[in-house]
Amino acid sequence: MEQSRAAPRLQVVLGHLGRPSARAIVGHPTSGTISSASFHPQQFQYSLDNNVLTLEQRKFYEENGYLVIKNLVSDADIQRFRNEFEKICRKEVKPLGLTVMRDVAILKSEYAHGEKMITKVQDFQEDKELFRYCTLPEILKYVECFTGPNIMAMHTMLINKPPDAGKKTSRHPLHQDLHYFPFRPSNLIVCAWTAMEPIDRNNGCLVVLPGTHRGSLKPHDYPKWEGGVNKMFHGIQDYEENTARVHLVMEKGDTVFFHPLLIHGSGRNKTQGFRKAISCHFASADCHYISVKGTSQENIEKEVGGLANKLYGIANTVDLKDIWMFRARLVKGERTNL
């Protein structure tokens, strides 16, 4: 990582801010037949009027908080993303600001190298090849259904879930993505998450708790797992364990769009291969930043601030808003509040 360039850039951003102010079910895109007579447009809260989603798809998202679109991203694009990730693993390219993560179970292994060592890259907004994902017209067409026409790319990830080393550390605890975000309103935020290969319960597919997006943001913290937990893998502390779960079995190129309050996670990878997916959280440029001081999000702010200090030598006065302003990129329309 080019820390010498990243630190001054973050300082510039700070200067601009001025400092003031259950049971298992296989998931499908929709379930059942929905009568248009039973649902009226004025009842929609989580999607916007558009001519892209069918009434059935729109109502499914309203009720469940997620929607799978089959075969949305081409094989050719996915191969390009895979090639770029491999270059990053070989250190042939070093994008500015990129965060490289490793599974806690293999962090100090002398046998893991390259792609086998890296389990996630995030904040790839300065990597032109990977950031293409965030600008794909087929992705933005659906994103606009939830954010409106002015779209910011806020958080980027390519996940390379490793074969579980036996300690179940490849799991991701159930969580809500809004825990990490200091911007609102939540209904104008959506994640696009694309499978880069077939994904099922064997290699750790996403699991979602349908309808939980209609609830509130819950307190998060590290789960007490005996095998260890990966950095910043916070999980919700109080949820009904008998709540119905849906396992999203997806083919290469399938993309799920989901609400930031939807409770979700992923199981361990029980195969010998790596399970890849690429994602971006988008928000309306009309969203606004909030302070998380005194809220349940304060613990993640302290952790992120500590990481910024470690990576860039920035003092712990950096808050969560600063970090997200550093990451945000306009991908469509006009920038307003964000």
Side-chain angles (χ1 to χ4, degrees), residues 40-106:
H40 303 286
Q42 60 266 30
Q43 294 177 267
F44 292 119
Q45 300 180 54
Y46 305 103
S47 59
L48 304 173
D49 291 340
N50 63 84
N51 58 3
V52 175
L53 299 181
T54 66
L55 179 61
E56 183 181 38
Q57 289 174 322
R58 199 172 173 190
K59 183 162 187 289
F60 186 88
Y61 187 88
E62 292 282 327
E63 292 182 345
N64 296 281
Y66 73 94
L67 180 69
V68 177
I69 304 298
K70 305 293 290 183
N71 196 31
L72 185 62
V73 179
S74 71
D75 288 354
D77 279 323
I78 289 174
Q79 187 58 51
R80 288 179 62 173
F81 302 144
R82 182 182 291 270
N83 292 344
E84 185 70 2
F85 174 70
E86 291 172 355
K87 289 180 180 179
I88 292 172
C89 292
R90 295 193 298 266
K91 299 183 179 180
E92 294 176 10
V93 294
K94 298 179 181 180
L96 175 68
L98 187 77
T99 301
V100 176
M101 302 183 71
R102 298 174 174 84
D103 190 278
V104 65
I106 60 175

Side-chain angles (χ1 to χ4, degrees), residues 85-298:
F85 174 70
E86 291 172 355
K87 289 180 180 179
I88 292 172
C89 292
R90 295 193 298 266
K91 299 183 179 180
E92 294 176 10
V93 294
K94 298 179 181 180
L96 175 68
L98 187 77
T99 301
V100 176
M101 302 183 71
R102 298 174 174 84
D103 190 278
V104 65
I106 60 175
L107 188 59
K108 298 180 180 179
S109 172
E110 61 183 289
Y111 303 106
H113 301 282
E115 186 178 0
K116 293 183 179 180
M117 176 63 88
I118 297 175
T119 57
K120 182 189 294 185
V121 294
Q122 58 183 15
D123 308 326
F124 55 67
Q125 62 272 4
E126 299 295 340
D127 186 299
K128 292 182 179 180
E129 187 63 18
L130 289 183
F131 195 72
R132 284 183 57 257
Y133 173 77
C134 306
T135 64
L136 290 176
E138 56 268 40
I139 292 289
L140 294 180
K141 178 177 74 171
Y142 284 96
V143 168
E144 189 169 343
C145 299
F146 309 105
T147 65
N150 297 326
I151 306 172
M152 301 290 294
M154 302 301 295
H155 183 225
T156 52
M157 292 191 297
L158 193 153
I159 304 157
N160 187 43
K161 185 188 279 284
D164 197 87
K167 297 184 178 181
K168 300 182 180 180
T169 56
S170 65
R171 294 176 293 174
H172 198 299
L174 291 172
H175 63 285
Q176 297 165 297
D177 288 338
L178 192 65
H179 170 65
Y180 298 92
F181 302 155
F183 42 90
R184 302 291 188 273
S186 61
N187 290 349
L188 294 180
I189 304 169
V190 71
C191 179
W193 193 99
T194 298
M196 294 177 65
E197 57 202 307
I199 295 177
D200 57 26
R201 296 188 67 176
N202 286 324
N203 60 6
C205 65
L206 286 181
V207 58
V208 300
L209 277 59
T212 51
H213 67 299
R214 296 194 295 267
S216 59
L217 179 61
K218 297 180 178 293
H220 287 60
D221 210 336
Y222 284 108
K224 296 176 175 60
W225 289 350
E226 292 182 4
V229 185
N230 285 306
K231 194 73 172 174
M232 296 191 191
F233 274 33
H234 291 192
I236 56 177
Q237 302 298 294
D238 59 337
Y239 65 93
E240 178 52 58
E241 294 191 6
N242 294 323
T243 302
R245 302 183 184 190
V246 174
H247 291 83
L248 299 184
V249 176
M250 301 169 68
E251 296 299 322
K252 182 179 179 181
D254 291 355
T255 301
V256 59
F257 297 88
F258 60 90
H259 191 280
L261 281 172
L262 181 72
I263 296 175
H264 66 288
S266 64
R268 61 192 175 100
N269 182 357
K270 295 177 283 188
T271 72
Q272 295 304 305
F274 286 73
R275 185 273 272 163
K276 291 182 176 61
I278 188 169
S279 71
C280 179
H281 282 89
F282 297 91
S284 168
D286 296 316
C287 286
H288 59 275
Y289 289 105
I290 65 166
S291 171
V292 300
K293 302 296 184 186
T295 74
S296 65
Q297 294 178 258
E298 200 164 8

